């Protein structure tokens, strides 16, 4: 059956036909053995009975507009509630007249994120400078002052609050985490032990505890009468919390690099910060991307813990809405909505990280 | 005392005096004395663990010595970071495992230090880099990444990268011992060429053919001490010390 060729003349042949194609895929992946076949059949059966019913409830029998629970069909989802309250979900209690500032911040956030994520953006250098000042610009836009009507941070809520906490944590925890990771490896004992002490303390305490400290205890330490914004305290705590984890993720990346990289940089006369910025960190951060994005996602989802100290993020608004008497019994829809919101953003981050890993891996993988 | 001596004799570019080094309790370098003149080529050999790498790494302060003096081109190595940076920008080094920067292209590897340490304009740095890449015969690889090159090519890039800083002194720490036999020659050829142009070189290597061809002096180390030093002919034909004889019989024996 196999044909033989003289040495050195063997042509490239296509693979045998029974190793490619959909039938082959099914045979190998779903029906390769009797137990495998049984499991596959059970799984297919469960999908057939559950998926159409779920789709029916979610979409075909659902009600999309209405004034109260009574307008909704009984055997379908009641999205009318979400669309009624959509503004609340997005803006929280931000004053109606000032909501353009939230919208503007969101658009500018899009620009800043594009600059950070899109390597070939035209004028990326300016985009990155803009991204660096964006957190402060957005802080001014959202809280007001200096020509804008001040808005109390107690009025922040919903998606907007979640994004504010998440983006602040992400934007500041990476640089602080890098500094802590470098500090932990420092030759200077004070810097080294401060970094270790900070990281281990923060990692040893649950975030909720830190948030309680932020909401109650800090006022004992601060001079009486000083009014230190609750949201700002929460932002600081969330950022510090994520920084400690970030530092450990990055330390893993630093340790994975061969010692020779730093030695080569030293021998060429680069100083410490040049060696870190140009040689060590680009490689260590690339290795750490999965861990960094994992920490980002964890931080982003942890923002919903602020409900406990009375801030109403997406989940908080959802929970508050469930107790509305006009819309009783809608918790499934509300929590599904919140879950989908978190899933879309977190899944987006995860996909981007995969994309980035693949991109950075090409060209110089050993 | 040492300072005045160096300044008096302009020909000496590396001076190591009564130098000791410890790793914790372990006395790894014992009373090292060595003077290297401008343009001299020194080959250092000795059994594994004898302190060869440690000694040449002290010369650009990749390792710190605890006692004695090391003076390079009139600058004494102390804890003063300025002195260390000054010495490092004069002294190039090639490592056993090349230590190229894998996230940068060959060209970027070569231009990095001139741009950031010498503050050279990028264009000029690239011209110099291409000049040295041509000299080590790999200009056509300039836009590849290190991972795409063979070991011999990578080591030649590492040599070019060091040369781009226009060093007065080159240190080599077993530059060929991680290479397959057919690549050793291309690297040694590059080094011979460099030697013929008058570069001051200190080479840790077991390539005895190279030592015979270019070395002005061969230094034999064992147990952290310099046991014997001599010109290559004498060193190979007429070793003085028992340990040198034993070592030579081992590496030349097969
Ligand atoms: N960082 C370190 N800490 C402790 N001991 C070390 C360290 N680096 C090297 N040593 C020890 O110092 C001694 C000299 O090491 P060195 O690397 O200089 O030897 P070498 O002559 O270059 O050997 P080789 O031919 O194997 O490269 C060895 O015994 C080694 O185990
Ligand atoms: Mg060695």
């Amino acid at each position: 059956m196999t044909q033989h060729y003289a040495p050195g003349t063997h042509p490239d042949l296509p693979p045998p036909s029974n190793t490619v194609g959909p039938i082959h895929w099914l045979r190998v992946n779903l029906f390769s053995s009797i137990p495998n076949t049984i499991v596959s059949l059970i799984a297919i059966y469960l999908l057939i009975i559950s998926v159409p019913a779920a789709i029916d409830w979610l979409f075909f029998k659902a009600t999309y507009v209405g004034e109260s629970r009574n307008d909704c069909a009984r055997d379908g989802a009641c999205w009318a509630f979400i669309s009624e309250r959509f503004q609340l979900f997005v803006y929280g209690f931000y004053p109606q007249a000032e909501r353009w500032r939230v919208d503007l911040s969101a658009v500018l956030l899009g620009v800043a994120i594009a600059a950070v994520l899109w390597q070939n953006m035209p004028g990326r250098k300016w985009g990155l400078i803009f991204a660096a000042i964006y957190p402060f610009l957005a802080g001014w836009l959202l809280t007001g002052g200096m020509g804008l009507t001040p808005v109390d941070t107690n009025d922040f809520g919903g998606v907007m609050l979640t994004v504010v906490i998440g983006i602040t944590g992400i934007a500041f925890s990476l640089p602080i985490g890098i500094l802590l990771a470098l500090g932990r490896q420092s030759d200077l004992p004070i810097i080294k032990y401060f970094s270790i002490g900070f990281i281990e303390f923060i990692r040893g305490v649950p975030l909720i505890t830190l948030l309680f400290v932020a909401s109650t205890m800090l006022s004992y330490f601060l001079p009486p009468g000083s009014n230190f914004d609750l949201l700002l305290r929460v932002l600081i705590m969330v950022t510090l919390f994520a920084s400690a984890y970030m530092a450990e993720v990055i330390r893993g990346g630093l340790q994975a690099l061969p010692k020779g990289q730093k030695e080569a940089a030293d021998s060429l006369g680069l100083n410490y910060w040049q060696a870190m910025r140009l040689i060590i960190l680009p490689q260590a951060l690339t290795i750490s991307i999965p861990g960094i994005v994992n920490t980002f996602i964890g931080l982003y989802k942890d923002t919903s813990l602020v409900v406990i100290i009375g801030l109403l993020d997406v989940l908080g608004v959802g929970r508050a809405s469930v107790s509305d008497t006009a819309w009783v019994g809608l918790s499934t829809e509300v929590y599904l909505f919140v879950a989908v919101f978190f899933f879309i953003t977190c899944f987006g981050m995860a996909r981007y990280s995969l994309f980035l890993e693949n991109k950075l891996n090409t060209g110089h993988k050993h | 005392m040492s300072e005045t001596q160096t300044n008096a004799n302009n020909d000496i570019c590396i001076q190591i005096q009564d130098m000791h080094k410890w790793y914790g309790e372990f006395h790894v370098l014992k009373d090292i004395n060595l003077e290297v003149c401008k343009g001299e080529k020194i080959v250092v050999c000795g059994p594994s663990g004898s302190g060869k790498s440690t000694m040449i790494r002290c010369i650009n302060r990749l390792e710190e010595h605890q006692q004695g003096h090391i003076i390079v081109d009139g600058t004494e190595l102390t804890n003063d970071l300025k002195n260390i940076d000054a010495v490092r920008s004069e002294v190039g080094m090639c490592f056993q495992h090349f230590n190229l920067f894998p996230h940068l292209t060959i060209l970027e590897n070569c231009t990095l230090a001139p741009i950031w340490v010498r503050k050279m304009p990028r264009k000029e740095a690239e011209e110099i880099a291409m000049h040295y890449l041509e000299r080590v015969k790999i200009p056509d690889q300039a836009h590849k990444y290190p991972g795409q090159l063979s070991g011999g090519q990578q080591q030649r890039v590492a040599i070019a990268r060091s040369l781009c800083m226009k060093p007065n002194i080159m240190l080599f720490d077993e530059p060929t011992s991680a290479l397959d036999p057919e690549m050793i020659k291309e690297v040694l050829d590059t080094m011979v060429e460099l030697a013929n142009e008058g570069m001051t070189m200190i080479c840790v290597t077991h390539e005895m053919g190279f030592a015979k061809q270019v070395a002005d002096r061969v230094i034999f180390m064992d147990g952290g001490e310099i046991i014997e030093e001599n010109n290559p002919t004498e060193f190979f034909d007429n070793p003085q010390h028992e340990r040198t004889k034993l070592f030579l019989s081992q590496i030349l024996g097969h």
Side-chain angles (χ1 to χ4, degrees):
Chain A
M1 206 176 117
T2 10
Q3 192 178 343
H4 295 283
Y5 300 87
T9 63
H10 207 302
D12 297 332
L13 301 174
S17 59
N18 59 353
T19 62
V20 287
I23 303 290
H24 169 74
W25 186 90
L26 284 177
R27 263 230 305 273
V28 168
N29 291 291
L30 298 183
F31 305 107
S32 61
S33 66
I34 291 175
N36 195 344
T37 307
I38 294 172
V39 171
S40 299
L41 288 175
I42 293 174
I44 291 170
Y45 172 71
L46 289 177
L47 286 176
I48 287 173
I49 61 168
S50 60
V51 169
I55 290 179
D56 248 12
W57 184 84
L58 281 170
F59 301 112
F60 296 126
K61 297 192 175 153
T63 311
Y64 295 92
V65 281
E67 303 280 284
S68 79
R69 179 79 175 113
N70 296 330
D71 299 338
C72 285
R74 291 285 135 181
D75 55 350
C78 185
W79 301 123
F81 173 63
I82 305 287
S83 48
E84 255 278 300
R85 296 299 177 85
F86 196 72
Q87 298 269 318
L88 184 68
F89 271 105
V90 173
Y91 297 102
F93 309 98
Y94 208 85
Q96 201 91 44
E98 303 294 331
R99 286 187 179 169
W100 64 271
R101 281 152 56 178
V102 179
D103 299 338
L104 180 59
S105 304
V107 171
L108 295 179
L109 175 65
V111 176
I113 289 182
V116 172
L117 301 190
W118 182 17
Q119 263 107 351
N120 306 322
M121 187 172 93
R124 177 154 190 254
K125 196 168 154 213
W126 295 107
L128 287 178
I129 294 173
F130 174 73
I133 56 172
Y134 173 79
F136 305 98
L137 178 66
W140 168 64
L141 269 177
L142 293 177
T143 57
M146 291 191 298
L148 289 176
T149 325
V151 176
D152 194 334
T153 56
N154 287 335
D155 294 338
F156 286 22
V159 170
M160 174 220 163
L161 181 65
T162 301
V163 172
V164 164
I165 301 174
I167 295 288
T168 310
I170 286 172
F172 289 97
S173 66
L174 186 62
I176 297 177
I178 290 174
L179 291 179
L180 284 171
L182 294 178
R184 191 165 185 159
Q185 301 194 323
S186 169
D187 294 333
L188 306 172
I190 297 185
I191 293 180
K192 178 173 177 172
Y193 291 110
F194 170 80
S195 305
I196 293 181
F198 179 88
I199 292 168
E200 296 304 341
F201 171 74
I202 297 277
R203 286 205 304 168
V205 178
L207 178 57
I208 298 201
T209 319
L210 291 175
L211 291 176
F212 276 128
V213 170
S215 75
T216 59
M217 231 161 68
L218 275 187
S219 43
Y220 296 124
F221 303 143
L222 297 167
S226 67
N227 182 16
F228 194 50
D229 190 80
L230 175 64
L231 178 61
L232 189 55
R233 290 186 247 169
V234 166
L235 290 178
I236 291 173
M237 284 302 180
V238 168
T239 303
L240 293 183
F241 188 77
S243 304
Y245 282 87
M246 198 60 79
E248 287 300 283
V249 167
I250 293 167
R251 183 166 71 104
L254 290 172
Q255 284 175 343
L257 288 192
K259 249 178 70 190
Q261 291 291 305
K262 177 72 169 41
E263 290 176 353
D266 284 347
S267 75
L268 287 169
L270 296 173
N271 65 35
Y272 177 81
W273 289 108
Q274 288 172 335
M276 289 303 137
R277 194 161 65 79
L278 301 167
I279 307 300
I280 306 299
L281 285 174
Q283 297 184 64
L285 293 178
T286 306
I287 300 174
S288 317
I289 287 173
I292 291 174
V293 175
N294 203 24
T295 310
F296 282 165
I297 290 176
L299 175 156
Y300 187 72
K301 291 194 295 184
D302 280 353
T303 56
S304 49
L305 288 175
V306 298
V307 171
I308 291 174
I309 57 168
L311 296 180
L312 293 182
D313 74 324
V314 187
L315 182 62
V317 169
R319 266 171 39 124
S321 314
V322 167
S323 52
D324 189 325
T325 44
W327 297 94
V328 282
L330 287 180
S331 44
T332 316
E333 284 88 339
V334 170
Y335 291 130
L336 259 179
F337 173 74
V338 173
V340 166
F341 164 75
F342 274 109
F343 178 77
I344 289 173
T345 38
C346 292
F347 188 66
M349 284 194 249
R351 295 312 295 185
Y352 179 76
S353 111
L354 266 185
F355 159 78
L356 198 60
E357 267 175 69
N358 287 333
K359 183 180 154 82
L360 293 176
N361 269 340
T362 51
H364 56 83
K365 205 163 199 180
H366 295 287
Chain B
M1 168 202 106
S2 50
E3 302 272 349
T4 48
Q5 263 180 9
T6 3
N7 294 342
N9 189 344
N10 277 331
D11 275 328
I12 294 182
C13 65
I14 301 174
Q15 191 171 29
I16 304 178
Q17 288 177 334
D18 309 330
M19 190 262 279
H20 293 257
K21 171 168 179 64
W22 288 263
Y23 281 125
E25 290 288 302
F26 176 49
H27 199 168
V28 54
L29 291 179
K30 300 167 184 160
D31 198 22
I32 303 292
N33 283 282
L34 180 67
E35 284 187 353
V36 182
C37 295
K38 207 164 258 164
E40 221 183 346
K41 288 100 187 113
I42 311 269
V43 163
V44 181
C45 61
S48 180
S50 56
K52 309 177 296 289
S53 299
T54 310
M55 185 184 78
I56 73 162
R57 288 156 60 88
C58 282
I59 295 172
N60 65 353
R61 196 59 166 204
L62 288 184
E63 302 288 350
E64 189 183 336
H65 62 285
Q66 279 93 27
Q67 205 176 307
H69 303 275
I70 301 178
I71 299 149
V72 181
D73 259 346
T75 311
E76 171 152 16
L77 281 168
T78 58
N79 281 325
D80 190 340
L81 287 179
K82 249 209 235 83
N83 286 2
I84 296 176
D85 286 342
V87 167
R88 282 178 179 165
S89 59
E90 294 308 315
V91 179
M93 182 160 195
C94 287
F95 301 85
Q96 183 174 0
H97 297 289
F98 332 131
N99 298 358
L100 293 178
F101 305 129
H103 62 303
L104 301 178
T105 62
I106 299 306
L107 188 62
E108 289 166 339
N109 264 275
C110 293
T111 56
L112 186 88
I115 289 174
W116 291 95
V117 180
R118 297 256 192 260
K119 312 288 177 211
M120 200 181 275
R122 174 173 301 274
K123 192 125 188 12
E124 192 184 339
E126 283 178 356
E127 277 162 21
I128 292 176
M130 287 313 292
H131 168 75
Y132 284 110
L133 286 174
E134 258 155 48
R135 283 215 5 213
V136 300
K137 304 190 178 63
I138 29 183
D140 42 331
Q141 317 278 3
H143 296 285
K144 290 192 179 168
Y145 285 92
Q148 298 167 301
L149 268 55
S150 75
Q153 291 174 323
Q154 290 193 42
Q155 191 62 292
R156 285 184 283 148
V157 170
I159 294 173
R161 177 175 74 176
S162 294
L163 293 178
C164 286
M165 287 293 281
K166 306 245 165 95
N168 298 329
I169 302 164
M170 283 291 294
L171 308 174
F172 293 86
D173 189 359
E174 306 205 33
T176 56
S177 56
L179 296 178
D180 293 335
E182 74 266 26
M183 296 173 188
I184 291 179
K185 188 174 173 307
E186 62 188 50
V187 172
L188 288 181
D189 286 347
T190 308
M191 292 169 62
V192 169
E193 221 172 89
L194 197 58
N196 291 339
E197 282 159 23
M199 176 67 77
T200 311
M201 291 165 61
I202 302 186
C203 272
V204 176
T205 183
H206 292 152
E207 293 297 329
M208 292 306 145
F210 174 78
K212 284 177 189 158
Q213 191 182 347
V214 306
D216 296 308
R217 265 187 293 162
V218 181
I219 286 178
F220 174 70
M221 291 184 72
D222 193 8
E225 292 176 271
I226 295 183
I227 304 287
E228 182 165 345
E229 83 179 74
N230 218 329
N231 64 57
T233 330
E234 280 294 301
F235 182 85
F236 290 110
D237 298 345
N238 189 14
Q240 302 297 309
H241 209 281
E242 276 312 309
R243 279 194 267 180
T244 319
K245 288 178 191 160
L246 181 66
F247 175 74
L248 286 177
S249 72
Q250 279 166 349
I251 63 163
L252 301 175
H254 49 88

